[in-house]
Amino acid sequence: MGLIRKTLSISTLGIVSWRSKKELLREAEAALAETQADLERTSKIESLLREKLDDAERRASSAELTSLRDARRARRRGARDERSKFPRRKRLTAAARSSIAPVLTQTRSAAERLVTDAEPMVDDAVSKARESSKRARKKLEKRAEKAEKSVRRQAKQARARVDELTS
């Protein structure tokens, strides 16, 4: 801010604003850039969380398939020897299920925690980015209107001055 502009603002009791149009425009552009950066950060966080969730679901699915494969193998082995190994087959199936159950529950609960923890942050960041973007857009529109009015006024004054000089 220039000293002349401050003095002019004080002497005109605020009719002339403290800041020039360029400064106001720079402020609005900075706010818009900050909003865009927030939006990019939010989208990166969201994609990272989606990757983690997909990975957790893949691990759970893989563990479940391994459990089913082991159970099927145990049944096949048990079917060969029919009654003599029937209790063994049940034991093997139960052991396979019990060994995989904690992994499945941990993976599912971890994935659910990730999603529930991240949802409020992502929603909040998105809403903040939207609000900030709207404010920045409104500021830019107002500044553009003011600049347009100023240009029209100056053009009108210039035309009048040209007419005055040519008359």
Side-chain angles (χ1 to χ4, degrees), residues 27-100:
E27 251 181 47
E29 287 173 348
L32 184 62
E34 183 180 331
T35 301
Q36 289 172 343
D38 285 345
L39 187 60
E40 284 182 30
R41 274 187 252 125
T42 303
S43 63
K44 285 181 184 177
I45 289 171
E46 186 179 2
S47 65
L48 179 65
L49 290 173
R50 283 189 181 158
E51 287 176 12
K52 285 184 179 181
L53 179 62
D54 290 344
D55 186 45
E57 288 175 348
R58 248 190 322 270
R59 283 184 297 181
S61 175
S62 173
E64 190 174 359
L65 290 174
T66 303
S67 159
L68 291 171
R69 185 188 68 220
D70 290 347
R72 186 175 56 234
R73 286 179 181 168
R75 272 185 297 210
R76 285 180 186 165
R77 281 188 222 124
R80 286 183 203 142
D81 297 340
E82 288 192 17
R83 291 192 178 155
S84 63
K85 297 209 176 180
F86 184 72
R88 181 173 178 238
R89 184 179 76 203
K90 277 189 175 180
R91 275 195 321 268
L92 290 174
T93 305
R97 286 185 182 151
S98 66
S99 68
I100 200 65

Side-chain angles (χ1 to χ4, degrees), residues 9-154:
S9 179
I10 291 171
S11 64
T12 59
L13 299 174
I15 293 174
V16 176
S17 68
W18 285 85
R19 295 195 171 116
S20 67
K21 290 177 186 100
K22 286 182 182 178
E23 288 175 313
L24 295 172
L25 189 59
R26 270 189 240 126
E27 251 181 47
E29 287 173 348
L32 184 62
E34 183 180 331
T35 301
Q36 289 172 343
D38 285 345
L39 187 60
E40 284 182 30
R41 274 187 252 125
T42 303
S43 63
K44 285 181 184 177
I45 289 171
E46 186 179 2
S47 65
L48 179 65
L49 290 173
R50 283 189 181 158
E51 287 176 12
K52 285 184 179 181
L53 179 62
D54 290 344
D55 186 45
E57 288 175 348
R58 248 190 322 270
R59 283 184 297 181
S61 175
S62 173
E64 190 174 359
L65 290 174
T66 303
S67 159
L68 291 171
R69 185 188 68 220
D70 290 347
R72 186 175 56 234
R73 286 179 181 168
R75 272 185 297 210
R76 285 180 186 165
R77 281 188 222 124
R80 286 183 203 142
D81 297 340
E82 288 192 17
R83 291 192 178 155
S84 63
K85 297 209 176 180
F86 184 72
R88 181 173 178 238
R89 184 179 76 203
K90 277 189 175 180
R91 275 195 321 268
L92 290 174
T93 305
R97 286 185 182 151
S98 66
S99 68
I100 200 65
V103 174
L104 284 174
T105 55
Q106 287 176 350
T107 306
R108 285 185 181 142
S109 63
E112 289 171 359
R113 275 196 316 268
L114 278 172
V115 169
T116 55
D117 290 348
E119 273 183 20
M121 290 188 299
V122 170
D123 292 342
D124 189 38
V126 167
S127 63
K128 283 181 182 177
R130 283 184 183 147
E131 290 171 12
S132 183
S133 174
K134 286 178 185 177
R135 283 193 306 260
R137 188 179 309 122
K138 285 181 183 178
K139 279 184 179 180
L140 284 173
E141 287 173 356
K142 285 180 183 180
R143 302 252 163 66
E145 287 175 15
K146 285 182 180 180
E148 190 177 331
K149 284 180 183 179
S150 175
V151 167
R152 285 183 190 154
R153 187 174 55 244
Q154 289 174 1

